[in-house]
Amino acid sequence: MTDIQDVAQPVATPAGEPLLRVTDLERHFPIRKGVLRRAAGAVRAVDGISFSVRAGETLGVVGESGCGKSTMGRLVTRLDEPTGGRVEFEGRDITHLGVNAMRPLRRDIQIIFQDPYSSLNPRHTVGTIVGAPFKLQKVATEGGVKKAVQELLELCGLNPEHYNRYPHEFSGGQRQRIGIARALALRPKMIVADEPVSALDVSIQAQVVNLLDDLQRELGLTYLIIAHDLSVVRHVSDRVAVMYLGKIVELADRDTLDTDPAHPYTTALLSAVPAPDPRRKDRQPGGAGGRILLTGDVPSPINPPSGCRFRTRCWKAQDICAAQEPPLAELRPGHLTACHFPETRAAAEPVTRPAASPEPAPKAEAAGEE
């Protein structure tokens, strides 16, 4: 039999080859009407996004509620079927693999769900919940499943004696730790965390975030963390992707995104994050930098605006924004943005723009979080 520490150990990814590569990924949910249930439209939840995640890296994905973050996470883990595009894991196309073909890959790709209350079966004990991956994958462990589960509970900050308890006996933070232990059972190479702390108290959020950070260092995990809390993403991520209405509008490393955002939407999101240091008035909403209040409602994903999807709420929008969709292009090395008029620092290299477009406005010095 095999010891739990040896189960599904990560295999080194070839140099330069990302662990996960997503290309033009789409998920459209059809809207059916009438007696014949004919398609009358579609909700474009995810509408052509591309990114990659290297082994050992943490990629954070942020955006408003309804922008398609969670749908993207379900597509990557193949809990939902993509409408179009391509998902590659370790160089293998897994976009349309069937249930049987995906079963072995479930060892390598796991998900932590947002709600720690609905994600655990109230009729099962903790031992049954965390031990389920071993039974489903028919993995034998030295000392038995009970010993392996108790080791996992202890690794996630729980007491091994919790093995025989039920989910209702635990707090929200403890339930999320149980969900993390279940995701770690087979030592996956990659974990998709779908807003893992949004349903928890602020004090508990820090504990769970630090636990994820410690587990990554100890086990060499790769994370795709979905959140709407920029402070959480900034704390744990190496790079951050900003989503708006089914599209990625900016992708950069966390420090660049925090200090020099290029897309107006990112600037507006950062302006909402209060700085913990009250002496830094320029970083406070309403301070020198000022809070950027977006006008209007978020457009419907059923009928998104033409051209740039953010143009209906953008203070820099011009005619070209309605006529032409800006591609996600490299503004500077490692910094991608989808905007005709990106924010740039004075020291930054000039950006090629349409002849009729004006010079970019200076960057608004604001940071923050919704």
Side-chain angles (χ1 to χ4, degrees), residues 16 22 42 69 71-72 95-96 130 141 170 173 239 245 252 262 268 294 306 323 356 360:
V22 173
K69 307 184 301 296
T71 301
M72 178 269 295
T95 313
H96 299 293
V130 180
T141 60
F170 297 91
R239 292 186 300 142
L245 211 61
L294 298 178
S306 62

Side-chain angles (χ1 to χ4, degrees), residues 195-368:
E195 303 203 31
V197 297
S198 64
L200 307 178
D201 292 339
V202 175
S203 59
I204 305 301
Q205 288 182 8
Q207 297 177 19
V208 175
V209 166
N210 290 333
L211 171 64
L212 292 173
D213 211 14
D214 294 340
L215 290 172
Q216 183 177 40
R217 287 195 298 268
E218 184 175 344
L219 304 177
L221 298 170
T222 302
Y223 286 143
L224 177 63
I225 294 185
I226 299 165
H228 63 265
D229 190 332
L230 284 170
S231 62
V232 171
V233 170
R234 209 160 38 197
H235 180 71
V236 299
S237 300
D238 299 305
R239 292 186 300 142
V240 179
V242 180
M243 283 190 69
Y244 182 81
L245 211 61
K247 294 275 191 180
I248 291 180
V249 297
E250 187 163 5
L251 178 61
D253 67 81
R254 63 178 179 183
D255 295 329
T256 300
L257 196 80
D258 183 39
T259 60
D260 188 30
H263 198 281
Y265 178 62
T266 308
T267 305
L269 286 181
L270 289 171
S271 77
V273 181
D277 187 352
R279 294 171 296 181
R280 300 189 63 186
K281 299 297 183 183
D282 61 314
R283 304 287 281 184
Q284 292 283 356
R291 169 74 184 272
I292 299 174
L293 297 176
L294 298 178
T295 59
D297 297 326
V298 180
S300 170
I302 299 174
N303 185 26
S306 62
C308 176
R309 299 189 172 190
F310 185 62
R311 66 176 176 82
T312 57
R313 305 170 74 194
C314 182
W315 60 93
K316 303 177 72 174
Q318 298 191 27
D319 292 342
I320 190 175
C321 300
Q324 180 180 336
E325 181 179 352
L328 185 65
E330 193 169 50
L331 181 66
R332 290 180 288 276
H335 191 171
L336 287 74
T337 187
C339 183
H340 291 299
F341 309 106
E343 306 270 358
T344 55
R345 291 179 299 186
E349 301 240 343
V351 180
T352 304
R353 304 181 184 283
S357 62
E359 288 296 317
K363 171 186 162 299
E365 284 236 353

Side-chain angles (χ1 to χ4, degrees), residues 76 78 87-89 92-97 102 105 109:
V76 168
R78 287 304 324 283
V87 179
E88 296 176 70
F89 186 77
R92 178 186 178 186
D93 185 2
I94 65 171
T95 313
H96 299 293
L97 289 184
M102 272 300 300
L105 286 173
I109 309 175

Side-chain angles (χ1 to χ4, degrees), residues 20-25 49-53 59 61 72 76 190 224 239 241 248 251:
L20 175 73
R21 186 192 299 274
V22 173
T23 308
D24 298 328
L25 189 63
I49 62 173
S50 300
F51 62 88
S52 61
V53 186
L59 176 67
V61 181
M72 178 269 295
V76 168
M190 181 172 184
L224 177 63
R239 292 186 300 142
I248 291 180
L251 178 61

Side-chain angles (χ1 to χ4, degrees), residues 81-146:
E81 185 72 14
T83 304
R86 185 182 179 95
V87 179
E88 296 176 70
F89 186 77
E90 293 187 314
R92 178 186 178 186
D93 185 2
I94 65 171
T95 313
H96 299 293
L97 289 184
V99 175
N100 292 333
M102 272 300 300
R103 185 175 292 274
L105 286 173
R106 297 295 180 198
R107 293 190 181 190
D108 298 329
I109 309 175
Q110 284 292 320
I111 186 170
I112 300 171
F113 295 98
Q114 176 180 356
D115 188 355
Y117 292 89
S118 62
S119 62
L120 303 180
N121 191 328
R123 298 187 177 188
H124 290 172
T125 63
V126 170
T128 302
I129 292 171
V130 180
F134 298 107
K135 295 181 180 179
L136 292 173
Q137 293 286 342
K138 296 180 174 58
V139 174
T141 60
E142 186 175 351
V145 172
K146 182 176 182 178

